[in-house]
Every structure is written in C-alpha cells, then in structure tokens.
Amino acid sequence: RQLVRSRFPSMDSSVGMDPRALDSLLYKTELCSFFLRGSCTRMYCRFAHGERELRRKPDLTKTMICHFMRDRGYCRNKPCNFAHDPSEIRGI
C-alpha cells in the first residue's frame, strides 16, 4: 500500500490532543455501565456512578485535525467535526 503524502507535512499520526488531557476532559462524562449493573469494582473509576457525579461533555468540535485530511488529503464526511486545516483548530 502506498502512503499518501499529507497536506500537513509537519503533522504525523501522533498529532492531536494529549491522551491524558482528553481523558481529563472526559472524566465522569458518561455513566459507568458496570455500576449500573451493580458490578463496578474499580477503586478510581473514570465513569460517573450516578447522576450526581455526571459532568457535561465538552464540545470537542474542530479541536483536532481530521485524520482523513491529514492522511489522504480529502474528507467526504459532511459535516465533519474535525478541522480540515490547522487554521480551523480552536481551543477548548
């Protein structure tokens, strides 16, 4: 398989949000399916155990480059939630 040269040569496959930062932003934004069944055994579960712990999910639209644009140079997803040019990337 031939690799397509990216429109964004400075961007490799690791470009995007730091996984730890993303994990922090998504912490307790979904209910724990194990807790809902009464079987969560995690001492420090990253999912919410009930409505009181539930946090609103952040809007991550256009905060990372679209991997189709980065890898192929085009994107057919309409509308796409990812930035198609580095100038479109916005802060959270």
Side-chain angles (χ1 to χ4, degrees):
R1 182 179 152 209
Q2 186 179 9
L3 292 176
V4 177
R5 207 169 259 287
S6 172
R7 281 183 41 199
F8 314 111
S10 64
M11 297 184 175
D12 62 21
S13 61
S14 66
V15 170
M17 191 172 292
D18 177 349
R20 290 170 296 188
L22 184 59
D23 193 51
S24 176
L25 286 172
L26 297 177
Y27 182 75
K28 305 277 186 189
T29 59
E30 293 181 42
L31 288 171
C32 175
S33 61
F34 293 101
F35 177 79
L36 294 174
R37 288 182 265 157
S39 62
C40 184
T41 59
R42 296 181 186 137
M43 183 177 283
Y44 299 104
C45 185
R46 62 183 297 275
F47 296 97
H49 287 187
E51 296 288 330
R52 290 185 64 201
E53 286 187 7
L54 200 55
R55 295 174 34 192
R56 186 190 335 236
K57 277 190 178 181
D59 177 10
L60 299 176
T61 305
K62 307 281 185 197
T63 58
M64 293 185 280
I65 274 290
C66 171
H67 67 92
F68 290 113
M69 286 300 285
R70 182 193 65 219
D71 298 343
R72 299 179 185 163
Y74 64 90
C75 173
R76 293 186 178 145
N77 295 331
K78 302 286 181 203
C80 183
N81 290 322
F82 295 91
H84 289 163
D85 186 87
S87 66
E88 293 179 356
I89 295 176
R90 65 176 189 82
I92 300 172

